[in-house]
């Protein structure tokens, strides 16, 4: 780390690319393609698949809490955070491949297999990566501008990687699988999983100096001598209002993301009836989302570094844009809407939604970084592990609830895999793809209003922490 908390570009990219791609790309695979894989390839009903997605997350209530507690209270040989990432890079790679492996079981065996592999991937594989990697950022730099830059890089990586996966995943499945979609899903997942593991190794290289001394010993500010039990940690976290508010908002955000991404595949397959155009449209959506990552710092500065105000304003505009898309399409014949999606007005509005999505999704990571600092000021405790474990828990539970809602809506609408859908089913798909996300985005914005940490207040808190002589990274006075 250079002067004023500045990082080198190798460190920025090594952290930002790994953090964005290793977590968001797999969840994009699950969000966009897992329901289709379960229903049309693996042979599980939509309602059963949705139930699996919900029930499999129950284990997360234990593993996320345990991981957050372990990160904050344990000192490991390869670094306080790097050690977990090293283990997780292997575990997550294997489990992701197993999720998309079509095991030759009967109907009951398939349900059990799907529940175990999907559940273990989220509860163990991703938990070992997400919480330690998120905790690395406040340890690397306390500079607000540098943190905003890392959040922007992370967003660009997440959306750019997701764009490549969404655009190229199904074509690669067909190329590698030939007549067998199940074989295609397997080999495509192997390629992506191994690529992610290599990025994680880059992260381990560039973050070493922030956790270990030259002789391999742990940095002094990371050494933990007090081993509080998880309940005491949660009690301290409950006093951190910005963190608690953001965690609730992230839960809603991930419900929305799962519903929206899940429905989009069905929209192009059945509503617009242009499955061959899905990759192009999603490429535009996610390319614009990556552009949103580039604009992230500018948006924050536009609101005079009041991160939360910029966050709320972004959500309001995003909700309006989704409502607009919904009502325009509803007023059209499906064939007319499909024509407009082929580089007509709807296509460009769809891409604009992607721009807003890229900005929107970058904010939670930054406001949670600020919440870590607030916790140091409020309680004197540095709790990045427990704070980001709650964030991870909200993400996985939100995704599970979103998958459940997706399955319920599809079943209630009378969806029949591989068949032509009725008017009522198509109407449900349209409502689920755009109107429900708009409503949930507004709800998240309302909740975020209670964050209670304006840009000016954050600067005051940072100055007070500095005046105490407290190292923000450790939460202890020097």
């Amino acid at each position: 780390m250079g002067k004023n908390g500045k990082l080198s570009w190798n460190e920025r990219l090594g952290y930002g690319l790994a953090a964005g791609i290793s977590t968001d790309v797999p969840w994009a695979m699950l969000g966009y393609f897992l329901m289709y894989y379960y229903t049309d390839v693996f042979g599980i009903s939509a309602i059963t698949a949705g139930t699996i997605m919900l029930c499999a997350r129950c284990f997360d209530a234990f593993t996320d809490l345990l991981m957050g507690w372990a990160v904050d209270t344990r000192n490991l040989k390869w670094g306080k955070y790097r050690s977990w990432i090293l283990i997780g890079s292997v575990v997550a790679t294997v489990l992701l491949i197993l999720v998309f492996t079509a095991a030759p079981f009967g109907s009951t065996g398939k349900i059990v297999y799907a529940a175990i592999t999907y559940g273990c991937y989220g509860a163990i594989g991703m938990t070992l990566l997400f919480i330690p990697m998120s905790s690395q950022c406040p340890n690397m730099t306390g500079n607000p501008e540098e943190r905003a830059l890392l959040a922007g890089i992370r967003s660009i990586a997440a959306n750019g990687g997701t764009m490549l996966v969404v655009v190229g995943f199904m074509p690669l499945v067909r190329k590698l699988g030939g007549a067998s979609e199940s074989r295609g899903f397997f080999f495509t997942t192997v390629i992506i999983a191994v690529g992610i593991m290599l990025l994680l190794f880059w992260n381990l290289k560039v973050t070493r100096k922030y956790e270990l001394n030259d002789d391999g010993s742990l940095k002094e500010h990371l050494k933990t001598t007090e081993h509080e039990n998880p309940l005491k940690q949660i009690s301290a976290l409950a006093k951190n209002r910005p963190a608690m508010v953001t965690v609730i908002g992230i839960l809603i955000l991930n419900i929305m993301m799962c519903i929206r991404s899940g429905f989009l595949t069905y929209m192009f397959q059945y509503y617009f009836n242009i499955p061959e155009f899905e990759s192009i449209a999603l490429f535009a959506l996610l390319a614009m989302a990556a552009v949103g990552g580039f604009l992230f710092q500018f948006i924050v500065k536009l609101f005079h570094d009041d991160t939360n105000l910029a966050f709320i304003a972004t959500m309001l505009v995003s909700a309006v844009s989704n409502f607009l898309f919904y009502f325009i399409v509803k007023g059209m014949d499906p064939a007319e809407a499909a024509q407009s999606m082929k580089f007509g007005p709807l296509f460009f509005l769809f891409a604009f939604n992607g721009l807003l999505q890229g900005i929107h999704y970058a904010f939670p990571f930054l406001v949670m970084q600020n919440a870590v600092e607030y916790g140091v000021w409020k309680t004197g405790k540095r709790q990045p592990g427990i704070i980001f474990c709650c964030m991870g828990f909200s993400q996985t539970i939100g995704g599970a609830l979103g998958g459940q809602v997706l399955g319920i809506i599809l079943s209630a609408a009378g969806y029949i895999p591989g068949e032509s859908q009725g008017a009522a089913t198509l109407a449900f798909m349209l409502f689920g793809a755009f109107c429900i996300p708009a409503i949930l985005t507004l709800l998240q914005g309302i909740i975020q209003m209670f964050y209670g940490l304006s840009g000016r207040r954050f600067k005051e808190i940072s100055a007070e922490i500095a005046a105490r002589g407290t190292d923000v990274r450790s939460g202890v006075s020097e």
Side-chain angles (χ1 to χ4, degrees):
M1 182 170 65
K3 294 181 179 180
N4 301 318
K6 294 292 185 179
L7 307 176
S8 70
W9 273 104
N10 184 46
E11 292 165 345
R12 291 167 180 162
L13 294 175
Y15 173 79
L17 293 180
I21 291 176
S22 67
T23 55
D24 287 62
V25 166
W27 285 125
M29 291 168 59
L30 299 175
Y32 281 98
F33 305 115
L34 186 61
M35 180 64 77
Y36 172 80
Y37 173 78
Y38 278 161
T39 58
D40 289 46
V41 179
F42 200 43
I44 298 176
S45 70
I47 189 66
T48 300
T51 302
I52 287 173
M53 292 177 184
L54 176 63
C55 294
R57 301 274 57 84
C58 292
F59 193 31
D60 270 335
F62 173 73
T63 59
D64 281 347
L65 176 59
L66 182 61
M67 189 75 258
W69 170 78
V71 165
D72 284 342
T73 62
R74 291 296 181 261
N75 306 318
L76 300 181
K77 178 179 180 180
W78 302 291
K80 194 171 187 67
Y81 312 119
R82 294 173 70 255
S83 299
W84 303 107
I85 296 170
L86 178 60
I87 298 169
S89 63
V90 177
V91 174
T93 298
V94 173
L95 288 173
L96 180 60
I97 293 171
L98 290 177
V99 168
F100 286 102
T101 299
F105 297 129
S107 57
T108 302
K110 286 182 178 181
I111 294 172
V112 174
Y113 177 84
I116 292 174
T117 54
Y118 176 72
C120 286
Y121 177 71
I124 300 175
M126 288 305 296
T127 297
L128 283 167
L129 295 178
F130 177 78
I131 296 170
M133 200 174 303
S134 297
S135 300
Q136 282 181 320
C137 184
N139 178 62
M140 293 172 70
T141 178
N143 187 312
E145 291 186 1
E146 197 68 29
R147 288 182 179 180
L149 179 57
L150 287 179
I153 294 173
R154 183 172 182 160
S155 177
I156 294 168
N159 287 295
T162 301
M163 173 185 67
L164 294 176
V165 167
V166 169
V167 171
F169 191 87
M170 289 307 297
L172 192 57
V173 166
R174 299 184 186 103
K175 178 72 174 178
L176 297 178
S180 173
E181 271 195 309
S182 63
R183 184 170 63 240
F185 269 96
F186 173 78
F187 285 113
T188 300
T189 303
V190 168
I191 293 172
I192 294 172
V194 172
I196 290 173
M197 184 168 63
L198 294 177
L199 282 176
L200 291 170
F201 290 161
W202 186 10
N203 169 280
L204 293 173
K205 181 178 180 181
V206 302
T207 59
R208 186 185 189 279
K209 72 177 184 179
Y210 296 104
E211 299 183 38
L212 300 175
N213 296 309
D214 291 340
D215 63 0
S217 61
L218 191 67
K219 293 280 187 180
E220 191 65 31
H221 74 274
L222 291 176
K223 292 180 179 178
T224 303
T225 56
E226 297 182 10
H227 300 299
E228 287 186 327
N229 66 57
L231 294 180
K232 285 187 177 180
Q233 283 196 310
I234 292 175
S235 177
L237 178 63
K239 300 175 183 178
N240 192 326
R241 174 178 163 185
M244 297 305 293
V245 167
T246 305
V247 163
I248 295 171
I250 290 171
L251 174 68
I252 295 171
L253 171 63
N254 281 272
I255 292 173
M256 180 274 286
M257 289 169 61
C258 186
I259 292 173
R260 185 171 188 266
S261 59
F263 268 117
L264 283 179
T265 296
Y266 293 98
M267 282 290 295
F268 283 97
Q269 184 74 29
Y270 297 107
Y271 192 98
F272 296 131
N273 196 26
I274 47 173
E276 72 284 353
F277 196 74
E278 179 182 4
S279 294
I280 298 173
L282 292 180
F283 178 87
L285 178 83
L286 294 167
M288 291 302 291
V291 172
F294 279 107
L295 295 177
F296 180 72
Q297 270 193 304
F298 170 77
I299 297 298
V300 173
K301 288 185 178 298
L302 189 65
F303 285 84
H304 306 288
D305 291 324
D306 192 328
T307 305
N308 196 53
L309 183 60
F311 189 11
I312 293 170
T314 299
M315 285 187 279
L316 176 60
V317 176
S318 181
V320 170
S321 181
N322 273 287
F323 274 128
L324 181 62
F325 193 98
Y326 169 76
F327 285 111
I328 290 176
V329 174
K330 187 179 180 183
M332 291 179 167
D333 178 86
E336 182 185 1
Q339 189 63 34
S340 184
M341 277 299 299
K342 291 184 174 181
F343 303 110
L346 280 181
F347 175 84
F348 292 102
L349 181 56
F350 186 73
F352 179 68
N353 282 344
L355 176 71
L356 296 172
Q357 171 183 305
I359 300 171
H360 180 185
Y361 294 0
F363 272 106
F365 179 69
L366 181 56
V367 295
M368 285 298 271
Q369 298 290 337
N370 295 344
V372 172
E373 232 136 323
Y374 178 88
V376 173
W377 172 82
K378 183 73 174 179
T379 68
K381 296 180 182 295
R382 180 179 179 274
Q383 295 185 293
I386 202 71
I387 285 175
F388 284 107
C389 96
C390 291
M391 182 177 179
F393 179 73
S394 289
Q395 288 181 326
T396 51
I397 292 298
L401 290 173
Q404 178 74 355
V405 172
L406 175 62
I408 290 173
I409 294 176
L410 286 172
S411 293
Y415 169 70
I416 303 174
E419 302 290 338
S420 297
Q421 310 300 322
T425 303
L426 296 177
F428 268 103
M429 289 179 177
L430 176 62
F431 186 84
F434 298 99
C435 205
I436 290 179
I439 294 170
L440 292 176
T441 299
L442 285 178
L443 178 59
Q444 185 192 7
I446 292 171
I447 291 172
Q448 199 64 32
M449 289 179 181
F450 295 92
Y451 181 71
L453 192 58
S454 65
R456 184 174 66 179
R457 181 59 178 150
F458 178 71
K459 290 178 181 178
E460 292 172 352
I461 286 173
S462 298
E464 186 173 332
I465 292 173
R468 294 177 189 171
T470 302
D471 186 342
V472 174
R473 297 175 303 174
S474 63
V476 298
S477 298
E478 296 177 346

